[in-house]
Amino acid sequence: MSKQISFTFNGVAVQCEEGQSIAAAVINSRTLALRKTRFGEEPRSVFCGIGICFDCVVVVDGVANQRSCLIEAKADMNIESSS
Ligand code: FES
């Protein structure tokens, strides 16, 4: 049985199973956009899912440009959308 953890994404609590990627956990919480584009503020989410495209970048505990499809969610992380 997997352990449930929680973290915040843009200030909203997200529950997930330990070991899930940040991207998977956020999308599973029904929030599809991980960030918006700098020009035009178009929503972006997972595109490649393997760390190549950088469409899924977020700010993880104050560190910018982190690929959420590659980073394992940890309890009490503070995740923010990149702009
Ligand atoms: S979805 Fe492409 S790098 Fe994360």
Side-chain angles (χ1 to χ4, degrees):
M1 185 164 171
S2 61
K3 180 180 172 187
Q4 294 289 307
I5 60 169
S6 68
F7 61 89
T8 59
F9 179 69
N10 292 335
V12 177
V14 174
Q15 311 285 327
C16 70
E17 292 182 9
E18 191 174 55
Q20 279 189 296
S21 69
I22 293 168
V26 170
I27 291 168
N28 193 46
S29 74
R30 309 273 187 240
T31 301
L32 299 181
L34 291 162
R35 67 177 183 94
K36 292 186 176 175
T37 58
R38 193 175 339 163
F39 303 107
E41 297 200 2
E42 296 293 327
R44 290 292 181 266
S45 190
V46 171
F47 182 68
C48 72
I50 56 173
I52 295 172
C53 73
F54 286 72
D55 255 4
C56 66
V57 293
V58 293
V59 180
V60 178
D61 292 332
V63 181
N65 299 319
Q66 302 299 300
R67 290 168 287 179
S68 61
C69 68
L70 297 181
I71 299 175
E72 188 175 310
K74 304 277 189 214
D76 303 323
M77 280 178 151
N78 181 24
I79 314 297
E80 300 285 337
S81 292
S82 296
S83 54

